[in-house]
Amino acid sequence: MAAVVRVAVIVLLVLALLLGAVWALQRRLIYLPDRASPGPAGRTLPGARDVELTTSDGLRLTAWLVPPTGPDRDIAVLYAPGNGGNRAGRAPLAAALAAQGLTVLLLDYRGYGGNPGSPDEEKLARDARAARAHLVTVEGADPQRLIYFGESLGCAVATEMAVELPPGGLLLRSPFTDLAATAAEHYPFLPVRLLLRDRFPVAEQIAQVSVPTAVVYGSRDTVVPTRQSELVAARAGGTVEVTVVAGADHNDPDLFDGPQVVAAVTRLADRIDHATR
């Protein structure tokens, strides 16, 4: 009996240590930044310029502003990226959108792309608001002619901001219902809903967003299950258009800057034009 008790105690201690480590290190599993500075904007995207964003808690973040290279539609896209890389990896999409006459602000959160600080849910919300404030107050963008473009984790950032500060349109690329639901797919042996500090409740918040919305996802996404993206689209509070990129996985080029993604943004811009002109 004593031996059984000892084994049980050891198992409980190991489990406690494992859960403690997950609790302490979870943000290192969620946020995977490329911390290197991508360099001057114009070196990667001719005509683009570096801009500085000041957050409500006093951080100064660098970002890239990409002007239209096609006929100017007077619509700006605020790009909220996913949890990895930095803005250099989103340059091809910015170039493709600029060719459609759109202004694009490529945001890097704190801790990404040479920016100071460490990311978490509340701080990413501050960073996105700083980007929006720059577009509206410095660049003179009309809030009703803004598109929030969220990529994966950025879908949560963009949706949360859309509840408080509605844009002209919202595009969500590969959205999850909430972070715990996605984490549970990959770590089914852990009580992720009890452990997670950052929640990102996209499906709950999208119901409060009434602006035109576009949802784009790949049919073979191995990171965010397609049923989660489908559920987000179904819960949208406004009109919604769904684009399924056949055969695409979460990080495939077709979902970063493929023609179907660019076309979905363009159609959303057309809807904004129809509503505001």
Side-chain angles (χ1 to χ4, degrees), residues 186-199:
H186 299 283
Y187 305 101
F189 50 88
L190 292 175
V192 291
R193 291 198 179 276
L194 294 174
L195 292 172
L196 275 180
R197 288 182 278 180
D198 294 346
R199 298 289 173 168

Side-chain angles (χ1 to χ4, degrees), residues 37-188:
S37 170
R43 189 170 65 194
T44 301
L45 292 163
R49 55 188 170 89
D50 299 287
V51 297
E52 184 175 88
L53 318 174
T54 302
T55 68
S56 58
D57 56 346
L59 281 188
R60 293 183 176 181
L61 308 178
T62 54
W64 288 350
L65 188 78
V66 186
T69 54
D72 191 350
R73 300 191 60 169
D74 191 31
I75 293 176
V77 178
L78 192 168
Y79 192 88
N83 68 328
N86 64 30
R87 58 192 179 274
R90 282 80 181 183
L93 175 62
L97 296 179
Q100 298 299 316
L102 303 171
T103 298
V104 183
L105 180 63
L106 288 180
L107 167 66
D108 263 333
Y109 309 120
R110 62 189 69 201
Y112 289 73
N115 286 330
S118 299
D120 63 35
E121 183 175 11
E122 182 267 334
K123 292 172 184 174
L124 265 56
R126 291 178 185 268
D127 299 347
R129 281 164 174 72
R132 181 190 183 277
H134 180 88
L135 282 171
V136 173
T137 63
V138 178
E139 306 296 338
D142 182 346
Q144 293 185 326
R145 296 180 66 76
L146 284 180
I147 293 173
Y148 298 165
F149 185 135
E151 170 210 308
S152 191
L153 185 75
C155 294
V157 178
T159 301
E160 189 275 338
M161 186 165 63
V163 172
E164 180 183 344
L165 299 167
L170 176 67
L171 189 141
L172 305 179
R173 199 278 271 176
S174 308
F176 49 71
T177 52
D178 63 272
L179 187 59
T182 300
E185 293 283 338
H186 299 283
Y187 305 101

